[in-house]
Amino acid sequence: EGNYANQQRLGPSVRGVKESTVIFRSLAAQWSLIERPVGDEQDIEQIIDLLRQANDASDQALFAHANSDGPAYNFYVQRDMQLKNQHGQAARSYGHKICGSL
């Protein structure tokens, strides 16, 4: 009961944040391995930086959750989502397909 009530008070699913973080860490590693075509270095670095910032925000959210800090958890989850959205926009602008669509 306590964990359920605590999760409800803290907002978005911790499990979802954890699962998303694993996926986006893998994605950041994949982007880091891309050979940067001449002239594209800055675009690719921006994409990787947005992924890293999103992963940092999700780490902060998980830390806040572990410390029962609902407001900080929700703040960092929102920040994580904003950064992942910005990453998706930057990746699509670069021509990368996200989930099978442009």
Side-chain angles (χ1 to χ4, degrees):
E1 209 276 322
N3 284 340
Y4 177 76
N6 195 35
Q7 184 170 339
Q8 293 302 310
R9 185 173 45 87
L10 290 173
S13 162
V14 172
R15 181 177 174 199
V17 173
K18 288 179 181 177
E19 290 173 357
S20 173
T21 300
V22 169
I23 292 167
F24 277 83
R25 282 199 196 294
S26 174
L27 189 56
Q30 291 172 22
W31 273 99
S32 294
L33 296 174
I34 291 175
E35 187 174 329
R36 280 103 169 118
V38 175
D40 289 357
E41 300 92 351
Q42 186 174 2
D43 291 337
I44 292 173
E45 289 303 319
Q46 177 191 18
I47 291 166
I48 294 169
D49 186 54
L50 287 166
L51 285 169
R52 288 182 180 145
Q53 288 181 57
N55 288 332
D56 288 345
S58 63
D59 287 342
Q60 292 293 326
L62 294 172
F63 180 81
H65 180 270
N67 289 290
S68 298
D69 185 346
Y73 175 76
N74 287 320
F75 172 82
Y76 285 112
V77 166
Q78 291 301 315
R79 178 80 177 128
D80 175 51
M81 291 174 18
Q82 290 169 344
L83 289 161
K84 286 176 179 165
N85 184 40
Q86 290 174 9
H87 157 262
Q89 291 172 0
R92 281 190 293 279
S93 292
Y94 185 71
H96 183 72
K97 290 185 177 184
I98 306 289
C99 297
S101 62
L102 285 176

